[in-house]
Amino acid sequence: MDFIPGIDGPSEGVPRVLACFSNNLLRREPLKLVDGGQSQRTFVYIKDAIEAVLLMIENPGRANGHIFNVGNPNNEVTVRQLAEMMTKVYTKVSGESALETPTIDVSSKEFYGEGYDDSDKRIPDMTIINKQ
């Protein structure tokens, strides 16, 4: 998940999306959607990720020398959809009401700084891990 600035990590820097959104929810601040939150990401259930790592450890002859992309290519959401899901879950679990403005759009330049580049779609390619 990465770190939440000032809570379990440094005060500076930009953590990954789950940590960014968690940080904003805990601080009761709108979730920042970079360039409208249209980037697509996939997420994997932690149990599945741990199982994949254990299989690599248990089968070093099939794992050594390979780079594995572990994930669920069928679990794709936009960052905006993720923000909506996390806000809904947080309000249910915390009992707090949703913010009047739960998300705000920010440019990538404003959020990351000059020269930042990212992919619009990150979908794991499971070819190698399935083969091995």
Short mmCIF file of all heavy atoms in Angstrom, two decimals, residues 14 107-117:
data_model
loop_
_atom_site.label_atom_id
_atom_site.label_comp_id
_atom_site.label_asym_id
_atom_site.label_seq_id
_atom_site.Cartn_x
_atom_site.Cartn_y
_atom_site.Cartn_z
N VAL A 14 5.24 11.57 -2.40
CA VAL A 14 3.89 11.24 -2.86
C VAL A 14 3.73 9.72 -2.84
O VAL A 14 4.37 9.02 -3.62
CB VAL A 14 3.65 11.77 -4.30
CG1 VAL A 14 2.26 11.39 -4.77
CG2 VAL A 14 3.83 13.28 -4.34
N SER A 107 -4.31 18.81 -11.76
CA SER A 107 -3.48 18.43 -12.90
C SER A 107 -2.29 17.62 -12.41
O SER A 107 -1.87 17.72 -11.25
CB SER A 107 -2.98 19.68 -13.64
OG SER A 107 -2.01 20.36 -12.85
N SER A 108 -1.72 16.80 -13.29
CA SER A 108 -0.55 16.01 -12.92
C SER A 108 0.62 16.93 -12.59
O SER A 108 1.42 16.65 -11.70
CB SER A 108 -0.18 15.02 -14.03
OG SER A 108 -0.01 15.68 -15.26
N LYS A 109 0.72 18.05 -13.28
CA LYS A 109 1.79 19.02 -12.99
C LYS A 109 1.64 19.57 -11.58
O LYS A 109 2.61 19.68 -10.84
CB LYS A 109 1.76 20.14 -14.03
CG LYS A 109 2.85 21.17 -13.83
CD LYS A 109 2.79 22.26 -14.89
CE LYS A 109 3.85 23.30 -14.64
NZ LYS A 109 3.79 24.39 -15.62
N GLU A 110 0.41 19.90 -11.20
CA GLU A 110 0.15 20.44 -9.86
C GLU A 110 0.42 19.39 -8.79
O GLU A 110 1.00 19.69 -7.75
CB GLU A 110 -1.31 20.91 -9.79
CG GLU A 110 -1.76 21.43 -8.44
CD GLU A 110 -3.25 21.76 -8.42
OE1 GLU A 110 -3.90 21.76 -9.49
OE2 GLU A 110 -3.76 21.99 -7.32
N PHE A 111 0.05 18.16 -9.04
CA PHE A 111 0.17 17.10 -8.04
C PHE A 111 1.58 16.56 -7.91
O PHE A 111 2.10 16.40 -6.81
CB PHE A 111 -0.81 15.96 -8.36
CG PHE A 111 -0.96 14.96 -7.26
CD1 PHE A 111 -1.76 15.23 -6.16
CD2 PHE A 111 -0.30 13.74 -7.32
CE1 PHE A 111 -1.91 14.31 -5.14
CE2 PHE A 111 -0.44 12.81 -6.30
CZ PHE A 111 -1.25 13.09 -5.20
N TYR A 112 2.22 16.26 -9.05
CA TYR A 112 3.53 15.61 -9.04
C TYR A 112 4.69 16.56 -9.31
O TYR A 112 5.83 16.26 -8.99
CB TYR A 112 3.59 14.51 -10.09
CG TYR A 112 2.68 13.35 -9.82
CD1 TYR A 112 1.56 13.12 -10.60
CD2 TYR A 112 2.94 12.46 -8.78
CE1 TYR A 112 0.73 12.05 -10.36
CE2 TYR A 112 2.11 11.38 -8.53
CZ TYR A 112 1.00 11.18 -9.32
OH TYR A 112 0.18 10.12 -9.08
N GLY A 113 4.42 17.66 -9.99
CA GLY A 113 5.48 18.58 -10.38
C GLY A 113 5.79 18.47 -11.86
O GLY A 113 5.25 17.63 -12.58
N GLU A 114 6.65 19.33 -12.29
CA GLU A 114 7.02 19.42 -13.71
C GLU A 114 7.70 18.14 -14.19
O GLU A 114 8.51 17.55 -13.50
CB GLU A 114 7.98 20.60 -13.90
CG GLU A 114 8.23 20.98 -15.33
CD GLU A 114 7.04 21.64 -15.98
OE1 GLU A 114 6.46 22.55 -15.39
OE2 GLU A 114 6.70 21.22 -17.11
N GLY A 115 7.33 17.70 -15.38
CA GLY A 115 8.01 16.58 -16.02
C GLY A 115 7.56 15.20 -15.62
O GLY A 115 8.11 14.21 -16.08
N TYR A 116 6.54 15.08 -14.76
CA TYR A 116 6.08 13.76 -14.35
C TYR A 116 5.36 13.08 -15.51
O TYR A 116 4.61 13.71 -16.24
CB TYR A 116 5.14 13.85 -13.15
CG TYR A 116 4.65 12.51 -12.70
CD1 TYR A 116 5.43 11.68 -11.93
CD2 TYR A 116 3.38 12.05 -13.08
CE1 TYR A 116 4.99 10.43 -11.53
CE2 TYR A 116 2.94 10.80 -12.69
CZ TYR A 116 3.74 9.99 -11.91
OH TYR A 116 3.30 8.76 -11.53
N ASP A 117 5.60 11.78 -15.66
CA ASP A 117 4.95 11.02 -16.72
C ASP A 117 4.48 9.69 -16.12
O ASP A 117 5.20 9.07 -15.34
CB ASP A 117 5.93 10.78 -17.87
CG ASP A 117 5.26 10.20 -19.09
OD1 ASP A 117 4.03 10.40 -19.26
OD2 ASP A 117 5.95 9.54 -19.88
#
